[in-house]
């Protein structure tokens, strides 16, 4: 590419934003001849189509849906999947540890108290914190060399969910809905389920549609009471009466839309009215777990009693219900489902944020997700859904291999945030199972072999779903915005079958 392009294109974009009146008309003609407008996103919706109209993938794929299992707080890779014999040998030794960007202190190495074994034909490592998931290691592609930019929960969450550390950008689920539409117009394309203990730091921006139309944002399913509020019609209102009212409102919106071409919010509003009406009939059935047999409910741990040993422990029932609901939703054509484990303010044992004792943290949270996730993988596989469902597991960052005292008043035993080297795994559609990809250093602190920024993770998820991260763009503020941003991203080819 000509280096001058870096100068010419931004200048044209600046002039386009600056141009107004008759001068802007002349400028738009010149820019059109120069190809400026030809780069706009091709995924934009026609004015006479639903914003969530199903669209074909641009890349070959079997994937239809994605389930993102988000461990809010930052799960410890060195206690779960990233076995480090050298860390075990050097337990108690002092090293220089970069606990924040550019801030280094003396710290004490803390070996994992977990027992690691190799599992399956692939011989992948997994600790005894996940005895059920361990049986599925041959299905997983474990990426052990990811890194990101922020040591703080809020910005790290936003970056993992939207590609940026600042609010205002569409989340990955919104990008997927925008690029692929929905398989079922009677259910939301993008669903989010939060932990019963609360939502994540920075809240709704993590499932926002950003500068895209609101129709692409995530729909929250509540953890208690009615999953979706206001589904039942008001007293005395029949379905026929509602249908006539919505038809009349949509007719007015359509007439207004006809005189405002390109105003996508109107199409989104029409679509949302239709979805709300259809949800009254479809959501109760899709979310009704009583339709499942007892064996399936037991597999997910749905009826397990809440543990009494710790006030924050949930046991597998809550996350099990969410995993089973996720399977039912993708079975019915929901495009993207995100489940959060861990909730409420960061810094305590209510999330995977193990500052105040990594062993206590794992004892609380690992049993909550281990059985449900293993059940989800087995259930999807036996129903023939795993080959068309991408399952993604991880958090906003990992943990340090040293004992933390910085945030604990000197109390040892915890682990601090670590965005320099952490683990994600994927399974299902298009993923090469039984693969361990990349490495952190001998202590598990920083990615050193095949390191990949999380933008590469996003590019890989989009690729597996049949989307090209370079071509999936949305024109906003004079820029062709992308989930992966302006820095080049690379698909992690080593985990693709």
């Amino acid at each position: 590419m000509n280096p001058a392009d870096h100068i010419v294109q931004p200048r044209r974009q600046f002039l386009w934003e600056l141009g107004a009146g008759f001068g802007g008309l002349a400028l738009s003609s010149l820019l059109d001849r120069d190809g400026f407008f030809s780069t706009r996103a091709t995924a934009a919706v026609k004015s006479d189509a639903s914003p969530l109209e199903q669209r074909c993938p641009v890349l070959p794929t079997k994937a239809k849906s994605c389930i993102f299992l988000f461990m809010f707080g930052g799960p410890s890779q060195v206690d779960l999947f990233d076995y480090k014999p050298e860390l075990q040998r050097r337990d108690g030794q002092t090293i220089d540890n970069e606990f924040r960007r550019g801030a280094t202190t003396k710290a004490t190495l803390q070996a994992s108290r977990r027992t690691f074994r190799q599992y399956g034909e692939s011989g992948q490592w997994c600790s005894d914190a996940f005895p059920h998931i361990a049986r599925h290691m041959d299905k997983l592609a474990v990426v052990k060399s990811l890194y990101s930019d922020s040591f703080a929960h809020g910005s790290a969450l936003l970056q993992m969910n939207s590609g940026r550390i600042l609010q205002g950008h569409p989340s990955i689920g919104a990008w997927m809905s925008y690029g692929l539409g929905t398989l079922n117009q009677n259910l939301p394309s993008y669903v989010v389920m939060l932990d019963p203990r609360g939502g994540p730091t920075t809240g709704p921006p993590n499932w926002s549609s950003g500068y895209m139309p609101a129709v692409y944002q995530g729909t929250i399913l509540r953890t208690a009471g009615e999953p979706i509020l206001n589904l039942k019609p008001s007293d005395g209102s029949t379905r026929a009466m509602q249908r006539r009212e919505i038809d009349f409102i949509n007719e007015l919106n359509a007439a207004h839309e006809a005189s405002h071409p390109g105003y996508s919010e109107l199409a989104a509003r029409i679509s949302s009215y239709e979805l709300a009406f259809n949800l009254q009939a479809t959501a109760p059935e899709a979310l009704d777990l009583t339709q499942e047999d007892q064996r399936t409910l037991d597999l997910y741990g749905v009826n397990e009693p809440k543990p009494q040993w710790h006030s924050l422990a949930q046991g597998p029932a809550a996350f099990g219900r969410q995993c089973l609901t996720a399977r039912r939703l993708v079975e019915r054509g929901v495009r993207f489902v995100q489940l959060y484990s861990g909730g409420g303010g960061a810094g305590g044992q209510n999330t995977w944020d193990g500052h105040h004792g990594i062993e206590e943290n794992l004892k609380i949270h690992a049993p909550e997700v281990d059985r449900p996730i293993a059940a989800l993988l087995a259930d999807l596989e036996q129903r023939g859904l795993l080959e068309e469902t991408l399952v993604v597991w991880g958090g906003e960052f990992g943990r340090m291999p040293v004992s933390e005292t910085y945030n604990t008043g000197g109390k040892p035993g915890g682990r601090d945030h670590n965005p320099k080297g952490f683990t994600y795994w994927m399974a299902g559609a298009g993923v090469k199972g039984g693969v361990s990809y990349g490495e952190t250093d001998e202590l598990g602190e920083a990615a050193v072999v095949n390191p990949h920024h999380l933008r590469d993770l996003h590019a890989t998820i989009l690729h597996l779903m049949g989307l090209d991260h370079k071509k999936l763009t949305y024109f906003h503020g004079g820029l062709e915005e992308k989930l992966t941003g302006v820095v080049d991203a690379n698909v992690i080819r080593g985990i693709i079958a």
Side-chain angles (χ1 to χ4, degrees), residues 224-259:
E226 293 292 330
I228 302 177
L229 292 175
N230 304 317
L231 273 185
K232 296 179 181 179
S234 57
D235 292 341
S237 178
T238 66
R239 291 280 289 175
M241 293 167 61
Q242 283 186 300
R243 180 71 267 172
R244 288 196 298 271
E245 181 179 0
I246 291 173
D247 286 344
F248 177 65
I249 293 172
N250 286 347
E251 187 177 327
L252 294 176
N253 282 331
H256 192 61
E257 183 186 23
S259 61

Side-chain angles (χ1 to χ4, degrees), residues 180-217:
L180 295 173
T182 184
L183 297 167
N184 187 339
Q185 294 289 338
N186 297 324
L187 288 170
S189 174
Y190 175 15
V191 168
V192 177
M193 288 179 265
L194 304 178
D195 190 286
R197 289 161 291 214
T201 302
T202 54
N206 288 293
W207 50 89
S208 168
S209 58
Y211 38 72
M212 292 180 182
V215 71
Y216 298 119
Q217 72 184 5

Side-chain angles (χ1 to χ4, degrees), residues 45-294:
V45 182
K46 302 187 298 293
S47 61
D48 60 346
S50 165
L52 289 173
E53 181 181 43
Q54 183 179 347
R55 288 178 279 282
C56 295
V58 298
L59 301 173
T61 183
K62 292 182 180 179
K64 295 180 180 178
S65 302
C66 178
I67 299 175
F68 197 139
L69 308 169
F70 202 106
M71 309 294 108
F72 163 48
S76 175
Q77 75 284 356
V78 294
D79 293 293
L80 298 173
F81 298 107
D82 195 6
Y83 177 51
K84 292 297 174 183
E86 185 67 14
L87 176 61
Q88 301 303 108
R89 284 191 290 268
R90 295 177 58 182
D91 186 29
Q93 293 185 14
T94 299
I95 66 167
D96 291 324
N97 172 245
E98 185 187 26
F99 68 101
R100 294 294 184 267
R101 295 292 182 200
T104 302
T105 187
K106 296 291 184 182
T108 302
L109 288 173
Q110 178 173 264
S112 177
R113 306 305 184 231
R114 301 288 90 205
T115 298
F116 280 79
R117 283 179 50 200
Q118 291 175 285
Y119 291 87
E121 295 181 5
S122 60
Q124 291 220 76
W125 291 99
C126 184
S127 84
D128 58 359
F130 284 153
H132 295 279
I133 293 175
R135 301 171 191 161
H136 298 274
M137 296 306 294
D138 284 343
K139 297 184 180 73
L140 311 186
V142 185
V143 182
K144 299 178 179 179
S145 53
L146 289 171
Y147 67 95
S148 58
D149 299 326
S150 177
F151 277 82
H153 289 286
S155 50
L157 277 161
L158 288 171
Q159 190 175 34
M160 189 57 71
N161 279 312
S162 71
R164 313 294 177 87
I165 61 174
L166 300 176
Q167 296 184 14
H169 294 272
S171 58
I172 185 171
W175 279 105
M176 211 168 287
S177 296
Y178 166 67
L180 295 173
T182 184
L183 297 167
N184 187 339
Q185 294 289 338
N186 297 324
L187 288 170
S189 174
Y190 175 15
V191 168
V192 177
M193 288 179 265
L194 304 178
D195 190 286
R197 289 161 291 214
T201 302
T202 54
N206 288 293
W207 50 89
S208 168
S209 58
Y211 38 72
M212 292 180 182
V215 71
Y216 298 119
Q217 72 184 5
T219 296
I220 295 289
L221 295 188
R222 299 167 71 237
T223 57
E226 293 292 330
I228 302 177
L229 292 175
N230 304 317
L231 273 185
K232 296 179 181 179
S234 57
D235 292 341
S237 178
T238 66
R239 291 280 289 175
M241 293 167 61
Q242 283 186 300
R243 180 71 267 172
R244 288 196 298 271
E245 181 179 0
I246 291 173
D247 286 344
F248 177 65
I249 293 172
N250 286 347
E251 187 177 327
L252 294 176
N253 282 331
H256 192 61
E257 183 186 23
S259 61
H260 295 77
Y263 187 58
S264 63
E265 283 77 1
L266 287 170
R269 188 176 301 168
I270 293 171
S271 178
S272 66
Y273 283 136
E274 288 297 325
L275 176 60
F277 179 75
N278 293 332
L279 275 175
Q280 294 179 1
T282 57
E285 185 278 331
L287 304 176
D288 183 9
L289 301 188
T290 64
Q291 297 183 15
E292 301 290 337
D293 59 37
Q294 191 60 45

Side-chain angles (χ1 to χ4, degrees), residues 443-458:
L443 300 176
E445 181 174 349
V448 293
V449 177
N450 293 324
H452 284 273
H453 190 273
L454 68 82
R455 72 177 69 90
D456 297 343
L457 176 71
H458 288 156

